[in-house]
Amino acid sequence: MKRLLSLTALGLAFAPFLAGAAGDYKPVTAQRLANPEPENWLMTKGNYQGWSYSALDQITTANVKKLKPVWSAATGMTSGHEAPAIVNGDMMFVSTPRNQVLAFNAKTGRLLWRYKRELPEGFGALHVTNRGVALAGDKVYVASLDCMITALDAKTGAKVWESEVCDWQKDSAYITSAPLVVKNVVIVGPSGGEFGVRGFLKAFDLETGKEVWTRYAVPAPGEPGSETWPQEGRWKDAWKNGGGTMWMPGNYDAKNDVLYWGVGNGAPWLGDQRPGDNLYLASVLALNPDTGEIKGHHQYHWNDSWDWAGMNAPTLVEFERNGKKVPGLISAQRNGYIYWLDRKPDGKIDFNKALRYVKQNVFTSIDPKTGRPTYDEAGKPGTGKTATYCPSLWGGKDWPFEAYSPKTGMLYIPFNDNHCMTLTGKIQERIPGQWSAGVEITELNLKVDKNAPFVGGIQAWSVDGAKENWRETYAASWNFGSVMVTAGNVLFAGGTNDRMFRAYDARNGKLLWEFPTPSGIISPPSSYFIDGKQYVAVVSGWGVDAAWIQGKMHDSHGWEKQVPEGGSVWVFALED
């Protein structure tokens, strides 16, 4: 019996459940990933640039009101479902909380196989979610909460190989991120900043699972950037557990072979326990995908003290400037500002401008040349110091994906506003597996303005004009959902506590269609095309931070106490 339990902990005792053989499966090559066909959705954000954009245009602003559900399927899991449906040909892959991957026939919804990796005894994490799988060749790659990355046979779900990314018992790390495949490696990083994890990425060979490289976000003494961490005194070892976890997938410039990855918050949260700028916290890194070498960076704010993680990689676009196209990066960051950055072929990143898009009371100015902010110290919490800052730690935009349409030239941002946080810092001993953010988890004092006309919403910004073109707001809901935009000028979005999946006119924000799902939607939508028909897919399943905040809003604002949980996949198409 003891031997059987150990096999279960390793995920070896669970063969996939086969409900029918998959059809012909077209291998996912590096060329296909660099230039994905519109009929498939091969990665979490649709393409390497991070656009969350579908070039399909059968569904338009004129006919989207005729969308009907084609099929749906329960995942069998509760908690927050944050992974998109990934589609290659007739096969759809959906990962769920608690280490499960499901494969469906994308046209009919028939379950093809199910893979489940059991969590080891004693495992614990703040979030048990998963944000998606990656495809390459004839394999599906998924990272597990207990710090493993596994390659599955795409047709059968059988395990091909698995490798350890981190030691969850020793490091207190866990993985919620979708991996990213670039050329011959699959790349992923763990979560765990609140447990004092020093963030990193690891790359593994696609065929063998052998580790190829590791890149830490916080430099060790003597490495470039280490001078921005304490060199002596009480906090000289702060770098060892300094945070900077890289818990969201990156984006990739295939033309110039540059990988862009976001870096999370500092650990502990209080910057006075790690004096200095603290590179590369709250930054975007430009990396060599073959070696992990840092080629460039931009730090959004120095000495992070607010849990304003920069974990979302910026979207790769081109700016129109003085009649020329300039390669750029654009990102709505958690700290409440949208950043326009210039990206160079060699990976260097230059600051262009930053504009505030939600209420923010910490930055008093931003250097127009470097992008370095100055702070109102009254809004910066510290050890034994109480401060109220806006936006709260969930930021102007948390992890959900923004979207970019090359047709409208707009960036679409799922945002939250009119919320603040009051924190008082303390010194907490770091004990593996225990919260050590420098503030009690029971003392996260969220404050939402009761007189504000809204909290959540969607903003549409002109990338070249650098102005807001339209916005949709929600008077009685936060927005915890990613958005997707299509060539039919339709913007699809969930994210609200009323369980609705919605379609808007991407040009002006007019609501065109909505459909209630059994639970709230916090996963990214996706779109694909089979046998002459365009489909739109989304996974419904409320939980994690959205559920926690819903309870807080019940206490403070009288909102509905709970949103029903339970995961299900929903697929829509136009009526024949």
Side-chain angles (χ1 to χ4, degrees):
M1 184 66 176
K2 184 176 181 181
R3 176 63 176 165
L4 192 60
L5 285 172
S6 66
L7 288 174
T8 300
L10 291 171
L12 300 176
F14 285 80
F17 169 74
L18 294 174
D24 292 337
Y25 186 83
K26 184 179 180 181
V28 178
T29 63
Q31 291 75 22
R32 291 184 66 202
L33 289 174
N35 298 283
E37 313 88 5
E39 60 265 29
N40 295 307
W41 195 269
L42 298 180
M43 59 189 81
T44 54
K45 289 174 272 189
N47 61 17
Y48 273 143
Q49 295 94 321
W51 287 2
S52 292
Y53 170 79
S54 170
L56 299 174
D57 61 3
Q58 186 180 84
I59 299 170
T60 68
T61 56
N63 62 25
V64 68
K65 62 185 177 183
K66 296 181 180 180
L67 274 188
K68 298 291 183 184
V70 174
W71 62 264
S72 66
T75 68
M77 291 290 166
T78 56
S79 192
H81 285 57
E82 298 183 343
I86 303 297
V87 179
N88 181 31
D90 290 346
M91 292 194 71
M92 174 189 290
F93 306 96
V94 176
S95 59
T96 78
R98 300 182 178 89
N99 293 352
Q100 180 182 238
V101 182
L102 303 170
F104 298 98
N105 181 298
K107 184 177 179 180
T108 67
R110 180 166 59 97
L111 180 66
L112 301 175
W113 54 256
R114 181 195 306 267
Y115 172 82
K116 178 104 181 271
R117 177 186 173 84
E118 291 297 307
L119 289 169
E121 185 177 350
F123 176 83
L126 284 180
H127 305 96
V128 295
T129 192
N130 183 279
R131 297 189 176 94
V133 301
L135 305 181
D138 58 358
K139 299 180 184 66
V140 178
Y141 299 87
V142 63
S144 63
L145 289 162
D146 53 324
C147 280
M148 305 295 290
I149 186 162
T150 303
L152 305 173
D153 184 290
K155 291 186 178 181
T156 68
K159 183 170 63 179
V160 179
W161 59 255
E162 67 179 19
S163 297
E164 184 179 88
V165 181
C166 42
D167 184 333
W168 65 268
Q169 291 177 300
K170 177 184 176 183
D171 301 334
S172 302
Y174 59 100
I175 304 177
T176 61
S177 178
L180 182 70
V181 168
V182 174
K183 297 194 289 188
N184 63 339
V185 295
V186 56
I187 307 165
V188 74
S191 301
E194 286 65 46
F195 296 145
V197 172
R198 179 187 175 209
F200 62 87
L201 289 179
K202 283 191 178 180
F204 299 86
D205 184 271
L206 290 175
E207 295 302 319
T208 67
K210 181 180 179 181
E211 184 179 322
V212 177
W213 55 258
T214 298
R215 164 53 55 195
Y216 282 94
V218 175
E223 294 179 345
S226 62
E227 70 281 1
T228 66
W229 288 78
Q231 304 293 299
E232 57 187 11
R234 182 177 186 180
W235 311 114
K236 68 177 182 178
D237 291 330
W239 66 274
K240 293 181 178 180
N241 306 111
T245 48
M246 303 165 83
W247 51 274
M248 290 295 293
N251 295 326
Y252 176 55
D253 179 349
K255 178 181 177 181
N256 294 302
D257 196 26
V258 180
L259 180 67
Y260 295 91
W261 217 284
V263 182
N265 56 282
W269 287 353
L270 296 316
D272 62 0
Q273 293 182 27
R274 39 179 170 78
D277 281 10
N278 302 151
L279 291 175
Y280 294 94
L281 303 183
S283 299
V284 53
L285 294 180
L287 305 170
N288 181 330
D290 297 323
T291 64
E293 172 196 3
I294 297 176
K295 301 167 71 70
H297 78 279
H298 177 77
Q299 187 174 52
Y300 301 110
H301 54 271
W302 51 278
N303 193 233
D304 177 58
S305 301
W306 307 272
D307 188 26
W308 284 339
M311 70 289 171
N312 274 34
T315 303
L316 278 63
V317 296
E318 288 188 329
F319 303 133
E320 185 77 32
R321 193 177 299 153
N322 299 322
K324 296 181 179 180
K325 292 288 187 180
V326 178
L329 303 167
I330 189 167
S331 179
Q333 280 293 308
R334 204 153 153 172
N335 64 23
Y337 278 76
I338 304 174
Y339 289 80
W340 282 258
L341 307 171
D342 291 346
R343 53 185 167 95
K344 306 299 182 181
D346 62 358
K348 295 295 187 291
I349 302 173
D350 291 338
F351 175 77
N352 181 254
K353 60 175 169 283
L355 297 174
R356 185 172 59 84
Y357 69 102
V358 295
K359 179 181 179 182
Q360 217 265 24
N361 71 340
V362 176
F363 295 3
T364 58
S365 64
I366 292 181
D367 188 291
K369 293 184 178 180
T370 65
R372 180 183 175 88
T374 55
Y375 301 148
D376 180 349
E377 292 297 323
K380 186 177 180 181
T383 307
K385 175 190 173 187
T386 301
T388 298
Y389 62 91
C390 314
S392 75
L393 63 86
W394 286 278
K397 185 185 77 66
D398 202 346
W399 76 267
F401 303 148
E402 55 210 3
Y404 167 73
S405 169
K407 290 193 68 176
T408 66
M410 295 185 211
L411 184 76
Y412 302 92
I413 305 165
F415 78 100
N416 294 298
D417 201 354
N418 301 309
H419 57 99
C420 305
M421 179 69 68
T422 299
L423 293 181
T424 304
K426 62 184 293 186
I427 295 174
Q428 289 182 318
E429 180 184 1
R430 184 181 183 271
I431 302 173
Q434 293 190 19
W435 176 274
S436 57
V439 58
E440 295 293 346
I441 194 170
T442 56
E443 296 177 3
L444 300 182
N445 190 358
L446 175 65
K447 296 183 176 181
V448 180
D449 185 352
K450 289 187 177 182
N451 297 317
F454 65 90
V455 181
I458 300 170
Q459 295 182 23
W461 281 71
S462 167
V463 167
D464 290 332
K467 67 176 183 177
E468 183 182 329
N469 287 358
W470 61 260
R471 69 167 55 190
E472 165 76 314
T473 59
Y474 307 124
S477 182
W478 288 57
N479 187 355
F480 276 98
S482 299
V483 293
M484 177 191 70
V485 65
T486 75
N489 288 325
V490 181
L491 181 77
F492 289 95
T496 52
N497 57 18
D498 57 9
R499 305 177 290 112
M500 289 292 184
F501 188 43
R502 294 183 170 92
Y504 297 93
D505 189 318
R507 297 164 298 186
N508 54 38
K510 180 182 178 182
L511 178 64
L512 303 174
W513 171 88
E514 58 185 4
F515 181 89
T517 64
S519 183
I521 297 168
I522 56 176
S523 73
S526 58
S527 189
Y528 57 98
F529 194 85
I530 299 176
D531 295 340
K533 186 180 288 289
Q534 181 182 355
Y535 296 87
V536 174
V538 74
V539 182
S540 175
W542 197 254
V544 290
D545 289 34
W548 187 87
I549 286 180
Q550 185 71 17
K552 290 291 183 182
M553 296 303 291
H554 167 77
D555 296 340
S556 64
H557 287 60
W559 291 7
E560 181 182 2
K561 187 173 184 179
Q562 293 178 317
V563 176
E565 292 194 19
S568 55
V569 183
W570 287 83
V571 175
F572 303 88
L574 295 174
E575 290 181 300
D576 291 331

